[in-house]
Amino acid sequence: MDGIASDVAVGVKRSSDELLSGSLYNSPNSSVTANGSDSKKLRVEDSMDSPPSRVIHIRKLPNEVSETEVIALGLPFGKVTNILMLKGKNQAFLELGTEEAAVTMVNYYTAVTPQVRNVPVFIQYSNHKELKTDSALNQRAQAVLQAVSAVQEGGSPSSAAGESVLTPAPSPVLRIIIDNMFYPVTLDVLQQIFSKFGTVMKIITFTKNNQFQALLQFSDPVNAQQAKLSLDGQNIYNSCCTLRIDFSKLVNLNVKYNNDKSRDYTRPELPAGDGQPPVDPSVAATLSKDSTSLLGTPSGMVTSYSSGGGFPSSLGAISPLSAAAAAAAAAGRVALSGHSGPGGVLLVSNLNEEMVTPQSLFTLFGVYGDVQRVKILYNKKDSALIQMSDGNQAQLSMSHLNGQKMYGKIIRVTLSKHQTVQLPREGLDDQGLTKDFTSSPLHRFKKPGSKNFQNIFPPSATLHLSNIPENVTEEDLRLLFSNSGGTVKAFKFFQDRKMALLQMSTVEEAIQALIDLHNYDMGRGHRLRVSFSKSTI
């Protein structure tokens, strides 16, 4: 095991007495070393023999970390009874209600390195069996802990240290908005994340104002409040897919279908509806098995929360959410699709074979990733294989384009069993059905840190136009887009007139216009750039 791994090793006892005055602790069993260097020499296998303690020592926290973020590390495993923040040393101590809860937490974070604000933090048992803090020195942390404890117990704490009073949760239903949605977020991903806080009964997903949203119903309003407190503002994946959570005005969700858009976990007999494939219970079993094994969960891991909330079958997402959640969610999507090809090849079917070309597919799918190759099938010209630069881009394209209308037909997008798209043999004429776009200058995501990564939205009737020459007027652009076969409903220039929003009458018309006019030569070396917008005019 390398040096990093041994440093992460949970259970390595490190002396904390040099950090704290003895008055803060009741520590009859503590052993003091000068600087903790001896503890670093402990072998990893020896460290696991260290006696458990319900006090957890957390190191290498990021600067400006909040008390709530630290408490959230322990929340899924049971009641958090005390906290001590050492912000100057980027450390904290967390006391859980029972030793069993602490063991569950330590075992889990042995398999999954926890992250706070995308920074790995290190967790081990403390030398101390109990945390006694001076409330005068630790006032703010205690106030936050009091508020969280009240949520856990379903009560309403009194105001302390200037903290606002928490009121009981108004509804068991949460409204969830996903900002900066670079990767697809599925029902299963949401269920994995939120089931840490209680039983998820129903989920409905939809797009509103060009934003992916969900309504999620817990069995108890207290669980909803606890999830909101811990997850609001967190990222599902590193630096993207940010959760914005509020209470819904609804108190009960009416789910009619069990498919990839909605699910009632209490009624597995519901029909799929809308031509969607039914939810196969074996798929869910595959999901939880695969994602658990990918995270390397040790076989002896304790798999129940002392809080009684129930440990979810899949260990995918933790709070704060991290790269481990991304790995588990990705594993879930691979398990659901049945294919795990790293090449990211998509099978697109129900195409309008009279209209579709490799170039049109390159332009549309290029909104969500860098298309490498396109092959329209020779014997089935309503289907095509599209090779993206990686599996994540393939997932993103599938999430946004499956079920959209292109050239008058609703296209179906799934992952292909192929890992690459083969080019025709040299000298063989395949009638232009296969095209290699590897060296195309039109790839949107080749440049690291490109703003295009922050502007990926589902197809919408509103298009974002950029790289507009100074001499081009609103009338010019309205005419250009009307000629693509649609109706321009609204138009708005940005202040510098180099960019604009243009709204077509339907999403299908906007898709058609983007295919026709992205990279359109506007003269004077200006090539028009077209993408979907989340804004409305």
Side-chain angles (χ1 to χ4, degrees), residues 98-375:
T98 65
E99 192 173 288
E100 181 191 358
V103 169
T104 305
M105 178 177 174
V106 165
N107 282 343
Y108 181 69
Y109 289 136
T110 303
V112 182
T113 302
Q115 296 199 8
V116 178
R117 301 191 182 191
N118 298 322
V119 174
V121 299
F122 302 113
I123 287 178
Q124 69 254 344
Y125 296 119
S126 168
N127 288 334
H128 303 283
K129 298 297 183 185
E130 185 180 0
L131 190 59
K132 286 196 172 181
T133 53
D134 184 336
S135 59
L137 299 175
N138 199 29
Q139 202 169 44
R140 175 179 166 78
Q142 293 302 310
V144 174
L145 180 63
Q146 183 185 0
V148 173
S149 298
V151 173
Q152 286 181 312
E153 295 162 7
S156 177
S158 59
S159 179
E163 296 287 329
S164 59
V165 178
L166 288 184
T167 57
S171 167
V173 179
L174 294 175
R175 184 179 69 124
I176 303 157
I177 297 174
I178 312 289
D179 284 342
N180 195 16
M181 188 166 148
F182 182 60
Y183 297 118
V185 176
T186 64
L187 280 171
D188 297 287
V189 170
L190 291 172
Q191 197 270 345
Q192 285 180 39
I193 293 168
F194 283 84
S195 63
K196 288 286 183 184
F197 300 91
T199 303
V200 175
M201 299 178 67
K202 305 171 187 177
I203 307 177
I204 298 173
T205 63
F206 55 96
T207 300
K208 183 178 181 182
N209 298 330
N210 295 321
Q211 279 188 311
F212 179 84
Q213 300 189 26
L215 293 171
L216 184 146
Q217 181 176 340
F218 279 102
S219 58
D220 192 313
V222 172
N223 302 136
Q225 190 160 16
Q226 192 169 324
K228 179 181 182 299
L229 180 69
S230 296
L231 298 177
D232 187 27
Q234 299 283 357
N235 293 330
I236 297 176
Y237 305 106
N238 286 339
S239 305
C240 66
C241 297
T242 307
L243 293 165
R244 302 295 178 202
I245 304 172
D246 212 336
F247 291 108
S248 170
K249 293 178 182 177
L250 302 171
V251 293
N252 185 48
L253 298 179
N254 181 24
V255 177
K256 295 180 180 178
Y257 304 112
N258 281 343
N259 53 37
D260 61 351
K261 303 294 184 190
S262 61
R263 193 83 52 87
D264 186 334
Y265 295 94
T266 67
R267 299 181 63 196
E269 75 283 358
L270 285 177
D274 299 334
Q276 294 282 354
V279 177
D280 184 349
S282 66
V283 168
T286 304
L287 165 66
S288 58
K289 180 184 73 172
D290 284 5
S291 55
T292 302
S293 62
L294 273 180
L295 288 175
T297 307
S299 58
M301 177 176 174
V302 180
T303 55
S304 61
Y305 290 159
S306 60
S307 63
F311 209 47
S313 58
S314 174
L315 307 178
I318 59 172
S319 171
L321 306 177
S322 66
R333 292 199 302 276
V334 169
L336 287 170
S337 67
H339 306 296
S340 57
V345 177
L346 296 167
L347 173 64
V348 187
S349 56
N350 202 41
L351 292 163
N352 183 333
E353 57 185 273
E354 302 295 327
M355 302 282 292
V356 72
T357 64
Q359 183 66 45
S360 64
L361 291 170
F362 167 77
T363 303
L364 179 58
F365 281 76
V367 173
Y368 301 105
D370 293 336
V371 176
Q372 304 299 300
R373 294 174 179 175
V374 177
K375 182 184 192 75

Side-chain angles (χ1 to χ4, degrees), residues 19-20 24-25 56-58 60-73 80 82-95 116-117 131-134 137-145:
L19 304 175
L20 305 162
L24 295 184
Y25 279 90
I56 304 295
H57 183 194
I58 306 167
K60 299 196 176 180
L61 288 162
N63 294 328
E64 308 304 324
V65 66
S66 70
E67 290 84 353
T68 303
E69 287 171 300
V70 174
I71 292 170
L73 288 170
V80 177
N82 209 344
I83 180 175
L84 178 67
M85 299 289 292
L86 301 172
K87 291 193 175 181
K89 296 182 180 292
N90 299 95
Q91 300 187 22
F93 290 83
L94 210 58
E95 180 187 274
V116 178
R117 301 191 182 191
L131 190 59
K132 286 196 172 181
T133 53
D134 184 336
L137 299 175
N138 199 29
Q139 202 169 44
R140 175 179 166 78
Q142 293 302 310
V144 174
L145 180 63

